[in-house]
Amino acid sequence: DVKVTQSSRYLVKRTGEKVFLECVQDMDHENMFWYRQDPGLGLRLIYFSYDVKMKEKGDIPEGYSVSREKKERFSLILESASTNQTSMYLCASSLAQGEWDNQPQHFGDGTRLSIL
Amino acid sequence: GEDVEQSLFLSVREGDSSVINCTYTDSSSTYLYWYKQEPGAGLQLLTYIFSNMDMKQDQRLTVLLNKKDKHLSLRIADTQTGDSAIYFCAEKGEGSQGNLIFGKGTKLSVKP
């Protein structure tokens, strides 16, 4: 079974801090994704990566950056945390396949981040 | 752009069938997925269907796809209290490089 592990289930930080959220997958997946989930808004894609050292902006990249130095690890960075970044953050990974192939995403358990 | 729509809430009685509906706009969708999210947890892949199929059954779950109307449904037979969760529909478009478009989720409440 695919295992996607997020380093913290709950995290409390202060406004202005630099925050790191870590995600590790154990299935040699090429693709990795960061989403945030807010009530009534569903999942919104922040950043994704198709390979080591590659990154692409999603729908809401402002205020975030990412790092993919190793294939198994994808980090989300809040450069200067603000209260409107309080949210549930979900990491996912998937295998790179052809465009006609099945590519389900596999999710971690999420990190509930509170910015005070 | 591509969009996936779901109703936000569904309430059923234990033992009844639940039907969760989803519509999507991308006619080039290749795969469609159903995920389940229990409180405080991540999303768990429940099932999927390839776009050239119109039905897939997996134990208590039945997925129906009407490609002409771009309508997907998930039927849960003999719904149990443990089925209470948020259910997300997602589509993979042609050439999407692995990105999925998710609906906002349907919260299923099962009453005893």
Side-chain angles (χ1 to χ4, degrees):
Chain A
D1 266 0
V2 178
K3 183 74 174 169
V4 179
T5 303
Q6 294 185 230
S7 53
S8 307
R9 292 296 303 273
Y10 301 94
L11 207 53
V12 180
K13 296 290 182 181
R14 296 210 170 272
T15 305
E17 280 193 72
K18 190 169 186 175
V19 181
F20 293 85
L21 302 184
E22 306 286 348
C23 175
V24 177
Q25 49 91 7
D26 66 355
M27 284 302 290
D28 206 34
H29 284 174
E30 289 81 9
N31 302 331
M32 295 189 76
F33 307 83
W34 274 107
Y35 297 88
R36 65 177 281 178
Q37 182 180 15
D38 300 287
L41 297 179
L43 295 173
R44 291 183 291 167
L45 182 63
I46 305 171
Y47 266 97
F48 56 101
S49 169
Y50 297 135
D51 204 346
V52 176
K53 295 197 187 295
M54 292 184 67
K55 60 184 178 185
E56 299 281 345
K57 291 180 180 178
D59 300 318
I60 51 161
E62 296 79 18
Y64 302 95
S65 62
V66 289
S67 172
R68 185 123 183 245
E69 294 298 316
K70 293 186 177 181
K71 191 175 185 180
E72 67 270 20
R73 185 181 296 270
F74 192 35
S75 303
L76 180 70
I77 304 153
L78 285 67
E79 297 291 344
S80 176
S82 64
T83 53
N84 64 10
Q85 292 178 308
T86 290
S87 187
M88 172 75 137
Y89 289 87
L90 292 163
C91 175
S93 72
S94 69
L95 200 57
Q97 301 265 42
E99 63 184 69
W100 287 97
D101 294 322
N102 189 11
Q103 285 179 279
Q105 291 181 12
H106 301 271
F107 284 81
D109 284 334
T111 296
R112 189 163 291 283
L113 175 65
S114 297
I115 307 295
L116 305 179
Chain B
E2 300 152 349
D3 196 17
V4 176
E5 299 274 345
Q6 301 177 239
S7 53
L8 292 182
F9 301 99
L10 177 66
S11 181
V12 301
R13 292 217 168 272
E14 193 173 17
D16 288 350
S17 291
S18 308
V19 179
I20 303 171
N21 294 301
C22 171
T23 57
Y24 59 96
T25 57
D26 185 359
S27 57
S28 65
S29 289
T30 54
Y31 285 87
L32 294 120
Y33 302 91
W34 284 105
Y35 284 86
K36 176 183 180 183
Q37 184 182 35
E38 295 182 356
L43 276 67
Q44 171 197 352
L45 179 66
L46 271 184
T47 187
Y48 64 90
I49 189 166
F50 184 49
S51 57
N52 70 351
M53 298 169 65
D54 50 24
M55 186 179 98
K56 181 178 180 181
Q57 186 145 6
D58 184 1
Q59 299 182 335
R60 290 191 298 122
L61 304 178
T62 303
V63 178
L64 295 178
L65 175 61
N66 181 328
K67 199 171 178 183
K68 175 175 163 289
D69 294 339
K70 301 194 192 77
H71 182 266
L72 181 74
S73 67
L74 174 69
R75 179 177 179 268
I76 305 172
D78 186 25
T79 313
Q80 303 297 307
T81 53
D83 295 322
S84 294
I86 301 176
Y87 291 81
F88 289 89
C89 165
E91 61 146 350
K92 173 181 179 253
E94 186 181 351
S96 67
Q97 290 187 281
N99 286 31
L100 301 183
I101 308 299
F102 287 86
K104 288 185 169 52
T106 299
K107 185 171 183 179
L108 174 65
S109 298
V110 183
K111 300 186 187 315

